[in-house]
């Protein structure tokens, strides 16, 4: 009997202890004392329309990717730290992260078409020259211009509507190229038409503004990466920011191992060859190149990172503007450049133009002092001849082939070159 009472007392004590624990867990103050862990509070991000440039729309690039920013599916690298601050607005480009499922993230480049300083100067110029005020509604001011009024009435984008714009892409325009711009403009629902009926007044202003400031995002849209063109993928725009697939600038590889330098140089030559000879019969040329013009994906594949200095000549149709017509100037002609800058004549562009630039500015920095003699001497001699303009009787394709033959044995086939590995193991091409 005594043993049974003792057992009963033990069970009652256990039950009382359990009730005490439950009571403590229901009491917020006691629970906070018992457990040091604080509840997780999701940080909130506040862009502000000014940082994105949305306060300047519709004198902006577009809004196709704004939802991604506000849903935090595009994040700047600084957001991955604990402080979660937006980067400075005066920078020209930012490294970011992009997701479609909130689980897997990929690197992207977030860029402005020009510096915020130049944007602000251009905005001020619009107000002072068109409305004679220091501040104004940019959209209202630009809508009043003669050029935009012609755009509103136009059914089709024709060469006279883009004459005098500073973009190299539009200095020698053909109707075929302009139709391609309208048909593939990604900031509007795809209509697949060469006529501008599917573009609202707002869409027309955004397209005109983008072409006037910097044609880089337009080139990414009309010659997409998925079709084999050497540009990063265009993901969209928000205000005055453009989002595209991430690449590391070529300058980061000037100190690379010899086999990496040889591989990148060969890819660079292949890009130049495709710019002169392609299925669509367009001839691409650079008006300027520097260490940021080309970039390299994480798989080792080289692309044109900055297309803003690319001009296009239609070898099938030719230019439909004579050089004299290019001299037309208005506010759209000088949003980012000096209104007095002279245009390059379409007839002055030669096939060797881009190769000579690359031989002068990029290949020496990439290949200098990388290889043993006599290979290095052969490379240096070729680059010297190329930088001087090549012999008049030497075809560009021959020159490219000559340097390629020197470089091909110098590259390797391993996992560092993921864009062509393991294919290179089973191909005589490599």
């Amino acid at each position: 009997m005594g043993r049974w009472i003792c057992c009963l007392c033990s069970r009652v004590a256990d039950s009382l202890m359990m009730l005490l624990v439950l009571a403590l867990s229901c009491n917020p103050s006691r629970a906070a004392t018992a457990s040091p862990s604080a509840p997780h509070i999701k940080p909130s991000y506040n862009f502000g329309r000014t940082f994105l440039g949305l306060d300047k729309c519709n004198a902006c690039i577009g809004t196709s990717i704004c939802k991604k920013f506000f849903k935090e599916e595009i994040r700047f690298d600084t957001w991955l730290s604990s402080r979660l601050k937006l980067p400075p607005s005066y920078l020209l480009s930012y490294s970011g992260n992009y997701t479609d499922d909130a689980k897997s993230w990929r690197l992207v480049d977030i860029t402005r078409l020009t510096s915020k300083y130049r944007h602000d100067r251009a905005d001020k110029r619009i107000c002072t020259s068109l409305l004679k005020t220091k501040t104004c509604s940019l959209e209202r001011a630009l809508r009043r211009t003669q050029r935009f009024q012609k755009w509103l009435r136009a059914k089709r984008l024709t060469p006279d509507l883009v004459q005098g714009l500073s973009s190299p892409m539009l200095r020698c325009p053909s109707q075929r190229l302009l139709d391609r711009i309208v048909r593939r403009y990604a900031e509007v629902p795809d209509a697949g038409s060469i006529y501008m009926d599917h573009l609202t007044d707002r869409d027309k202003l955004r397209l005109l503004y983008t072409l006037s400031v910097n044609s880089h995002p337009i080139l990414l849209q009309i010659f997409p990466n998925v079709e084999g063109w050497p540009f990063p993928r265009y993901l969209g725009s928000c205000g005055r920011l453009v989002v595209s697939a991430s690449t590391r600038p070529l300058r980061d590889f000037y100190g690379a191992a010899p086999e990496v330098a040889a591989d990148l140089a060969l890819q660079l030559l292949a890009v130049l060859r495709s710019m002169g000879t392609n299925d669509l019969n367009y001839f691409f040329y650079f008006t300027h190149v520097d260490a940021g013009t080309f970039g390299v994906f994480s798989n080792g594949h080289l692309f044109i990172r900055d297309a803003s200095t690319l001009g296009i000549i239609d070898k099938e149709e030719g230019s439909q503007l004579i050089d004299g017509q290019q001299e037309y100037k208005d506010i759209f002609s000088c949003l980012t450049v000096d209104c007095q800058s002279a245009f390059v004549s379409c007839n002055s562009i030669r096939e060797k133009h881009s190769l000579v630039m690359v031989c002068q500015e990029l290949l020496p920095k990439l290949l200098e002092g990388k290889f043993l003699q006599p290979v290095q001497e052969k490379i240096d001699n070729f680059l010297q001849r190329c930088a001087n303009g090549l012999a008049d009787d030497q075809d560009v394709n021959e020159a490219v082939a000559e340097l390629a033959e020197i470089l091909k044995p110098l590259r390797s086939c391993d996992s560092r070159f993921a864009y062509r590995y393991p294919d290179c193991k089973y191909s005589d091409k490599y």
Side-chain angles (χ1 to χ4, degrees):
M1 183 71 176
R3 187 178 298 174
W4 179 83
I5 292 172
C6 183
C7 182
L8 178 63
C9 291
S10 175
R11 288 183 181 181
V12 170
D14 288 345
S15 299
L16 288 172
M17 182 61 72
M18 181 64 71
L19 288 171
L20 180 61
V21 169
L22 288 172
L24 282 173
S25 66
C26 292
N27 188 321
S29 59
R30 294 289 180 92
T33 306
S35 175
S37 60
H40 175 69
I41 300 174
K42 183 180 178 182
S44 60
Y45 306 108
N46 182 14
F47 279 100
R49 295 167 60 82
T50 303
F51 181 85
L52 294 169
L54 281 171
D55 59 323
K56 303 301 174 78
C57 282
N58 291 301
C60 63
I61 310 164
T63 56
S64 62
I65 210 165
C66 287
K67 286 184 179 179
K68 285 278 186 184
F69 277 104
F70 291 114
K71 288 168 66 178
E72 300 168 27
E73 293 175 347
I74 296 177
R75 298 182 176 182
F76 293 88
D77 268 356
T78 51
W79 283 14
L80 301 182
S81 68
S82 58
R83 301 193 177 183
L84 300 169
K85 291 182 179 179
L86 285 174
S89 60
Y90 58 79
L91 296 178
L92 192 59
S93 64
Y94 312 88
S95 180
N97 298 271
Y98 175 102
T99 186
D100 287 317
D101 55 15
K103 296 177 182 176
S104 57
W105 294 81
R106 51 191 164 131
L107 289 173
V108 292
D109 290 331
I110 305 168
T111 56
R112 301 183 187 277
L113 295 192
T114 188
S115 68
K116 189 175 185 303
Y117 170 73
R118 285 193 173 185
H119 266 313
D120 291 343
R121 281 189 63 191
D123 294 344
K124 189 174 181 180
R125 188 183 296 125
I126 291 169
C127 292
T128 54
S129 63
L130 297 180
L131 297 183
K132 313 301 181 187
T133 59
K134 290 184 179 180
T135 59
C136 68
S137 164
L138 301 177
E139 180 173 355
R140 189 181 305 123
L142 293 176
R143 277 177 171 271
R144 293 181 180 182
T145 60
Q146 183 180 0
R147 187 191 293 267
F148 187 66
Q149 289 302 312
K150 288 177 68 176
W151 272 63
L152 289 178
R153 296 189 297 269
K155 293 289 185 183
R156 193 174 182 182
L157 185 60
T158 51
D160 62 296
L161 296 178
V162 298
Q163 64 176 323
L165 297 185
S166 61
S167 168
M169 183 181 76
L170 299 172
R171 290 182 187 175
C172 314
S174 69
Q175 188 59 57
R176 187 168 70 115
L177 176 63
L178 297 178
D179 287 344
R180 190 175 182 86
I181 291 174
V182 173
R183 202 169 58 242
R184 295 186 167 221
Y185 182 42
E187 288 297 312
V188 299
D190 181 18
S193 172
I194 62 174
Y195 297 102
M196 294 198 290
D197 297 336
H198 63 294
L199 270 65
T200 64
D201 294 357
R202 176 201 65 193
D203 298 330
K204 289 182 178 180
L205 181 57
R206 290 179 181 178
L207 177 57
L208 173 56
Y209 180 83
T210 307
L211 291 171
S212 302
V213 175
N214 187 327
S215 59
H216 170 76
I218 303 299
L219 273 159
L220 270 56
Q221 294 168 42
I222 66 176
F223 298 108
N225 171 276
V226 292
E227 293 180 5
W229 297 97
F231 302 107
R233 182 184 172 194
Y234 176 80
L235 296 170
S237 300
C238 184
R240 289 180 170 179
L241 293 180
V242 178
V243 183
S244 59
S246 176
T247 58
R248 289 176 59 193
L250 188 63
R251 70 170 68 88
D252 289 359
F253 296 86
Y254 284 167
E259 61 272 19
V260 174
D263 182 81
L264 293 175
L266 279 165
Q267 288 192 71
L268 191 48
L269 295 177
V271 167
L272 294 180
R273 190 184 299 115
S274 70
M275 290 168 58
T277 307
N278 52 74
D279 293 341
L280 293 185
N281 228 8
Y282 287 115
F283 172 62
F284 297 80
Y285 66 92
F286 285 104
T287 57
H288 170 78
V289 295
D290 58 36
T293 301
F294 295 90
V296 183
F297 282 130
S298 58
N299 66 357
H301 209 168
L302 180 137
F303 283 79
I304 297 173
R305 188 172 190 255
D306 179 4
S308 62
T309 62
L310 268 181
I312 303 177
I313 294 175
D314 191 335
K315 295 197 289 187
E316 192 171 298
E317 285 190 3
S319 170
Q320 296 192 18
L321 278 184
I322 59 174
D323 289 336
Q325 288 178 289
Q326 293 179 330
E327 297 305 318
Y328 173 85
K329 298 281 178 71
D330 66 356
I331 189 65
F332 290 100
S333 308
C334 49
L335 287 181
T336 56
V337 297
D338 182 358
C339 285
Q340 306 305 315
S341 348
F343 287 118
V344 177
S345 168
C346 299
N347 297 325
S348 67
I349 306 300
R350 297 290 178 265
E351 194 175 353
K352 64 182 180 181
H353 184 84
S354 295
L355 178 61
V356 171
M357 275 186 164
V358 167
C359 286
Q360 290 173 340
E361 301 295 330
L362 303 181
L363 287 178
K365 297 170 184 174
L366 186 63
L367 300 174
E368 185 178 12
K370 288 287 171 67
F371 309 100
L372 299 175
Q373 301 297 356
V375 173
Q376 186 68 55
E377 186 177 0
K378 288 182 182 179
I379 293 173
D380 294 343
N381 287 339
F382 173 87
L383 293 180
Q384 186 61 48
R385 284 191 293 114
C386 178
N388 290 335
L390 297 169
D392 292 337
D393 58 349
Q394 185 173 20
D395 183 78
V396 173
N397 289 329
E398 289 180 10
V400 169
E402 180 184 338
L403 181 56
E405 284 305 310
I406 301 173
L407 293 172
K408 279 179 182 178
L410 304 176
R411 63 179 178 174
S412 63
C413 177
D414 58 62
S415 57
R416 286 176 299 170
F417 310 100
Y419 78 96
R420 58 180 173 87
Y421 182 84
D423 294 349
C424 54
K425 290 180 67 174
Y426 309 105
S427 173
D428 295 336
K429 180 182 176 182
Y430 297 100

